[in-house]
Amino acid sequence: MRPGLWPGKSSKTGNPVPSRDADFIRHPSKRCPWPGIEDAAYARYHDEEWGVPHADSRRLFEKLVLEGFQAGLSWLTILKKRDAFQRAFHDFDAERIARYGAKDIERLMNDAGIVRNRLKIEATIDNARAFLALSEHTSLATFLWSQMENGPIVNRHARMADVPPMTKDSKRISKALMKEGFRFVGPTTFYAFMQSVGMVNDHLVSCPRHKPCAKLQRDFKCP
């Protein structure tokens, strides 16, 4: 994982949100020592969302898009803008985004609430079209989770330095996504996505979220 560029997403995902462990209340310093974890929104994301597996294709699409926007920036920047992203991109309705034209691109380029990067905006439109093309024969959730032959991976890292920036799996699935027409889904970006959606569990073993997320992963039924 890139120092200072930890992955993640919103509290408005529709995902199952586990309650915070009492251990966090007593010992908040035991969380994974991410840069910026002291921020309340970032801590909440770590405690409630990061590493929790789910199979909601629309929210997986949202996370894939936001990971692409995060490239070169801190995740905290994206996290703080997530509500604005959801409004600007019509709650990541792929059918609507796929119809965006020049006026929508200019609207987004003038929206100070989001990251105004034309290449990433145009890639989001292309990704929405790729999402719809993929949906003609399978869902994004099924496509992604089918790549995990043995289900979610539960790692047991003791230090942040042990967490890789990418893996063989992230390279393989990134390549599969690009073959389907997705953009801004390189292996490093995609590994951050995998961590975010619980395809891998990269909470440190000392973190109180490691064990609960591992259980959620073991119980998760891949679509």
Side-chain angles (χ1 to χ4, degrees):
M1 175 51 57
R2 296 158 288 172
L5 295 180
W6 290 88
K9 299 303 169 282
S10 81
S11 59
K12 295 184 178 180
T13 61
N15 304 340
V17 178
S19 60
R20 296 195 189 190
D21 298 284
D23 203 15
F24 276 124
I25 298 173
R26 293 192 300 268
H27 305 290
S29 63
K30 295 179 70 176
R31 290 185 181 98
C32 297
W34 299 349
I37 194 65
E38 298 83 4
D39 182 273
Y42 211 8
R44 184 168 57 253
Y45 164 72
H46 168 277
D47 297 357
E48 299 177 357
E49 189 173 351
W50 198 70
V52 176
H54 69 93
D56 183 323
S57 288
R58 183 161 173 164
R59 293 310 169 198
L60 289 171
F61 174 66
E62 174 185 350
K63 291 191 173 190
L64 202 60
V65 169
L66 292 180
E67 290 293 355
F69 270 98
Q70 184 252 347
L73 303 170
S74 72
W75 175 248
L76 186 55
T77 297
I78 301 299
L79 185 62
K80 289 184 173 181
K81 292 176 177 286
R82 191 171 186 181
D83 286 346
F85 270 108
Q86 289 173 334
R87 289 193 298 271
F89 285 98
H90 296 98
D91 198 26
F92 293 92
D93 180 343
E95 290 190 5
R96 191 160 183 176
I97 295 171
R99 297 195 298 270
Y100 283 4
K103 289 184 178 179
D104 292 289
I105 293 173
E106 290 309 308
R107 169 180 63 80
L108 293 165
M109 287 296 296
N110 289 314
D111 190 336
I114 68 170
V115 174
R116 292 176 287 184
N117 181 301
R118 187 176 294 273
L119 289 177
K120 293 178 180 179
I121 290 170
E122 292 174 347
T124 299
I125 299 171
D126 287 342
N127 287 349
R129 292 167 180 166
F131 175 96
L132 295 180
L134 182 67
S135 298
E136 293 179 3
H137 55 90
T138 190
S139 68
L140 179 63
T142 299
F143 177 82
L144 291 174
W145 283 105
S146 68
Q147 306 291 327
M148 306 296 288
E149 295 181 358
N150 298 310
I153 297 169
V154 179
N155 290 319
R156 295 189 59 81
H157 299 305
R159 305 171 303 155
M160 286 176 58
D162 297 333
V163 182
M166 66 179 78
T167 63
K168 289 182 180 179
D169 283 331
S170 76
K171 292 177 183 178
R172 174 177 54 81
I173 305 173
S174 166
K175 186 175 181 180
L177 278 169
M178 287 189 277
K179 187 176 180 179
E180 295 293 333
F182 288 87
R183 298 171 56 197
F184 277 89
V185 289
T188 300
T189 294
F190 190 74
Y191 191 63
F193 171 88
M194 292 176 71
Q195 294 169 311
S196 174
V197 303
M199 296 174 86
V200 297
N201 181 350
D202 274 347
H203 284 286
L204 300 186
V205 290
S206 58
C207 175
R209 284 302 296 156
H210 183 276
K211 186 175 180 179
C213 284
K215 184 180 187 307
L216 289 169
Q217 289 173 305
R218 286 193 300 270
D219 295 342
F220 181 70
K221 304 298 182 185
C222 294

